[in-house]
Amino acid sequence: MALIYDHLQNDTIAAIATAMSEAGIGIIRISGPDAAAIGSALYRTPKRNRTQIAQWRPGTIRFGYIVETDEKGNESLIDEVMLSWMKSPHSYTTEDTVEINTHGGMFLMNRILELVLKCGARMAEPGEFTKRAFLGGRIDLARAEAVMDLISSGNEFARKTSAAQLEGAVSARIKELREKILYEIAFIESALDDPENYSLDGYPDRLMETCRGLEKEMRSLLSHAEEGRILKEGIRTAIVGRPNVGKSSLLNHLAGEERAIVTEIEGTTRDTLSETVRVGGVLLHLTDTAGIRQTEDKVEQIGVHRAQQALDSADLILFVIDSSRALSMEDEEIAERIIGKMQEGKKCILLMNKTDLTCLVQEEAVRDLFTSKGADCPAILYSSLQTGEGMEELGEYVSGLFHTGEIAEKNEIFISNLRHKNAVKEALESICLVEDSIENGMSEDFFSIDLMNAYRVLGTILGEAVEDDLVEEIFSKFCLGK
Ligand code: GDP
């Protein structure tokens, strides 16, 4: 990468690298050319002697004390610490790095950070340590972003995806694509420069074959990207159904607590309630909606509006029906709205609830809500929120619906990051333009322009040729201390 080392910063940054909360230990990280000097100014050995940290063997950690020195040179003890020393380039940032492991009190950590800043370090900006790792050439941009994703991953799938990205799996795939493109660009350029040694006879056919291959690979990356996003960020799930069918009970059951108020009076769930739960290994962002129905009641109208919004933004709809009460107009209305959403590609599960009571609704009649309108009926599952029956099946079904098992087993590579996805999309468009040019019998230099563009945008995923402000923006999303 072109950026290596010439961007190394010459100031020293510091921040609390652990959580800003009470904890067993806290770490203050100092990175930059003065890291060792700052550490040496504050650290004393177990016998309270001074030491030159820069002289320590790199990669060591030692017990000792942090002291504050007043104007008269008197030292007072601030905390017992473990201090570690990593010498450039063998550190997270590639710079000289000192980490002070203190006791994890907020006040204490801030006090030590203050001392570090007094000794000449500058407060790090969010993500600045990782940014330095990127600018230092230790990791590419996709991997730097993975660090951020890894920190914020909310489930096992997200963690795995980010870890793979951090390992460089995504970068490797993107590099492969770029190499293939670069080969073609180089070939065309060589043939145009030196037609005696490189012949373009039959070349368009060969290039077409390569482009088709590239197109296929990019399409497969993109098709997994949406599933990846859903699995990583969670599935936006709307619970819908007429009043009193058990929507709030479902939310409570999944959330494992009395989150929504369950009552026997119709229309009490006036607003929407949200909760993030883990079902069958995937995260569901549940929204329990007020019964979708025409209503004169002002407050309820707001609820109905929100319910519609929840339906609009949902990836998954859980349609709850009370199997102990005959179907009504409202069920029909809701089914109609759902049909519209299913046509947009949203997934739906129909839950026949209250199986512990006498069943008054035949499955056939439920199917009819959909089939009479020419639509397919969603999967029907049975549940009782009174007894908990059917909840396990629901989990398994949701997990199957979003192919979590399949993806996890295949260890597919994902681009779960929106910026990467857009870059692949743009590269794909360029490759399709090359195919068009070939079909239209255009000259070879036309191919080069679009191939170059595909090469360039794929490079932005790795952080090549990305503009500085984009780099700023990406790293500013990091939490402080990382
Ligand atoms: P919502 O209006 O759709 O949110 O429905 P609620 O969750 O508030 O439930 C309405 C009533 O039905 C409450 O009294 C619940 O205890 C009851 N209920 C919910 N699920 C079941 C079930 O599976 N079996 C029985 N017997 N009652 C249920």
Side-chain angles (χ1 to χ4, degrees):
M1 273 166 77
L3 291 161
I4 297 180
Y5 296 115
D6 53 45
H7 268 70
L8 273 192
Q9 321 280 316
N10 42 27
D11 58 350
T12 299
I13 54 171
I16 296 169
T18 42
M20 289 296 272
S21 60
E22 303 295 324
I25 61 164
I27 297 177
I28 291 127
R29 182 184 267 168
I30 313 165
S31 175
D34 296 333
I38 294 171
S40 303
L42 299 172
Y43 172 87
R44 296 293 175 267
T45 66
K47 291 193 172 148
R48 300 285 186 97
N49 294 322
R50 287 175 177 266
T51 169
Q52 286 305 319
I53 293 172
Q55 309 294 323
W56 293 10
R57 193 154 52 82
T60 44
I61 181 161
R62 293 194 195 170
F63 174 74
Y65 301 96
I66 292 294
V67 295
E68 181 175 28
T69 313
D70 65 18
E71 303 91 63
K72 292 182 191 143
N74 297 323
E75 292 179 355
S76 54
L77 185 133
I78 303 292
D79 192 18
E80 279 183 355
V81 299
M82 296 292 288
L83 186 141
S84 59
W85 160 239
M86 285 146 283
K87 196 167 165 44
S88 172
H90 301 294
S91 72
Y92 182 76
T93 54
T94 73
E95 301 174 326
D96 281 356
T97 301
V98 162
E99 285 180 2
I100 306 172
N101 292 243
T102 72
H103 291 108
M106 294 264 292
F107 177 75
L108 184 62
M109 288 192 290
N110 277 316
R111 184 88 165 72
I112 295 177
L113 178 63
E114 239 170 59
L115 293 176
V116 169
L117 298 179
K118 243 193 219 167
C119 288
R122 167 170 71 71
M123 184 71 196
E125 283 157 23
E128 199 173 359
F129 292 103
T130 307
K131 180 170 154 191
R132 288 187 172 199
F134 163 64
L135 294 176
R138 193 176 70 78
I139 52 176
D140 65 37
L141 197 54
R143 291 170 70 185
E145 285 168 305
V147 173
M148 178 163 53
D149 289 347
L150 200 56
I151 295 168
S152 61
S153 57
N155 63 17
E156 178 57 15
F157 178 81
R159 189 201 61 72
K160 253 192 183 164
T161 318
S162 309
Q165 191 178 325
L166 180 59
E167 252 174 33
V170 173
S171 308
R173 181 71 70 88
I174 297 297
K175 276 181 196 149
E176 270 171 36
L177 292 173
R178 290 186 90 213
E179 269 165 31
K180 286 183 193 164
I181 297 171
L182 190 61
Y183 175 85
E184 302 303 333
I185 296 170
F187 186 83
I188 295 171
E189 296 298 313
S190 313
L192 293 176
D193 278 358
D194 182 9
E196 277 174 24
N197 286 312
Y198 297 92
S199 163
L200 284 168
D201 281 350
Y203 176 69
D205 288 342
R206 289 206 309 273
L207 179 60
M208 188 60 136
E209 209 170 294
T210 309
C211 285
R212 293 251 157 88
L214 288 168
E215 186 190 333
K216 200 170 147 209
E217 282 188 55
M218 289 181 197
R219 283 198 194 283
S220 123
L221 277 175
L222 287 173
S223 72
H224 286 309
E226 185 56 15
E227 275 169 33
R229 180 196 67 76
I230 283 177
L231 289 176
K232 201 171 138 224
E233 292 172 8
I235 302 165
R236 286 173 305 221
T237 308
I239 306 177
V240 296
R242 66 192 234 232
N244 242 21
V245 291
K247 297 183 297 299
S248 311
S249 308
L250 177 62
L251 182 102
N252 285 341
H253 192 99
L254 294 174
E257 60 179 275
E258 289 287 306
R259 173 71 175 77
I261 315 141
V262 182
T263 68
E264 285 166 29
I265 309 153
E266 290 202 353
T268 42
T269 313
R270 296 235 165 128
D271 209 333
T272 55
L273 286 168
S274 299
E275 193 78 54
T276 300
V277 301
R278 196 180 305 270
V279 175
V282 284
L283 279 190
L284 298 189
H285 300 298
L286 292 171
T287 307
D288 170 19
T289 62
I292 296 185
R293 56 176 186 163
Q294 303 300 330
T295 171
E296 293 301 306
D297 183 320
K298 277 267 159 54
V299 184
E300 250 191 77
Q301 270 174 356
I302 297 170
V304 171
H305 179 65
R306 296 230 178 125
Q308 187 60 45
Q309 278 180 337
L311 267 186
D312 289 343
S313 64
D315 303 308
L316 172 69
I317 300 161
L318 295 178
F319 179 17
V320 187
I321 283 181
D322 182 345
S323 65
S324 72
R325 283 190 295 164
L327 291 177
S328 72
M329 273 293 290
E330 285 173 68
D331 290 309
E332 255 180 67
E333 269 174 34
I334 295 166
E336 228 168 90
R337 288 183 196 234
I338 291 175
I339 289 171
K341 295 293 156 199
M342 283 165 60
Q343 280 161 353
E344 290 169 17
K346 303 198 167 179
K347 301 187 174 175
C348 177
I349 297 173
L350 205 150
L351 210 56
M352 290 273 266
N353 190 34
K354 307 201 186 180
T355 51
D356 55 298
L357 303 176
T358 314
C359 178
L360 285 183
V361 181
Q362 298 306 314
E363 203 174 294
E364 207 39 52
V366 174
R367 287 188 188 286
D368 212 41
L369 289 175
F370 292 85
T371 51
S372 65
K373 305 264 173 5
D376 285 337
C377 179
I380 299 178
L381 301 180
Y382 286 83
S383 71
S384 163
L385 292 163
Q386 196 88 323
T387 66
E389 188 206 323
M391 285 295 101
E392 214 167 293
E393 287 81 351
L394 177 66
E396 282 167 15
Y397 197 86
V398 168
S399 160
L401 209 52
F402 290 89
H403 310 297
T404 51
E406 213 177 282
I407 287 165
E409 268 166 36
K410 273 203 260 167
N411 269 332
E412 261 298 339
I413 292 174
F414 270 103
I415 15 174
S416 48
N417 180 300
L418 191 63
R419 189 181 74 80
H420 302 175
K421 192 177 150 186
N422 288 337
V424 174
K425 252 191 196 159
E426 193 181 332
L428 175 63
E429 279 165 21
S430 295
I431 293 298
C432 290
L433 285 177
V434 179
E435 291 174 3
D436 288 350
S437 303
I438 298 172
E439 269 170 8
N440 295 328
M442 311 283 264
S443 69
E444 281 74 14
D445 33 354
F446 270 93
F447 310 160
S448 295
I449 297 170
D450 294 315
L451 286 171
M452 263 319 280
N453 193 49
Y455 182 77
R456 188 190 56 78
V457 284
L458 287 178
T460 62
I461 295 179
L462 308 174
E464 283 182 26
V466 288
E467 271 125 52
D468 282 353
D469 47 354
L470 178 66
V471 173
E472 289 297 327
E473 190 199 313
I474 289 166
F475 286 101
S476 67
K477 287 193 201 129
F478 274 72
C479 38
L480 215 61
K482 195 65 215 178

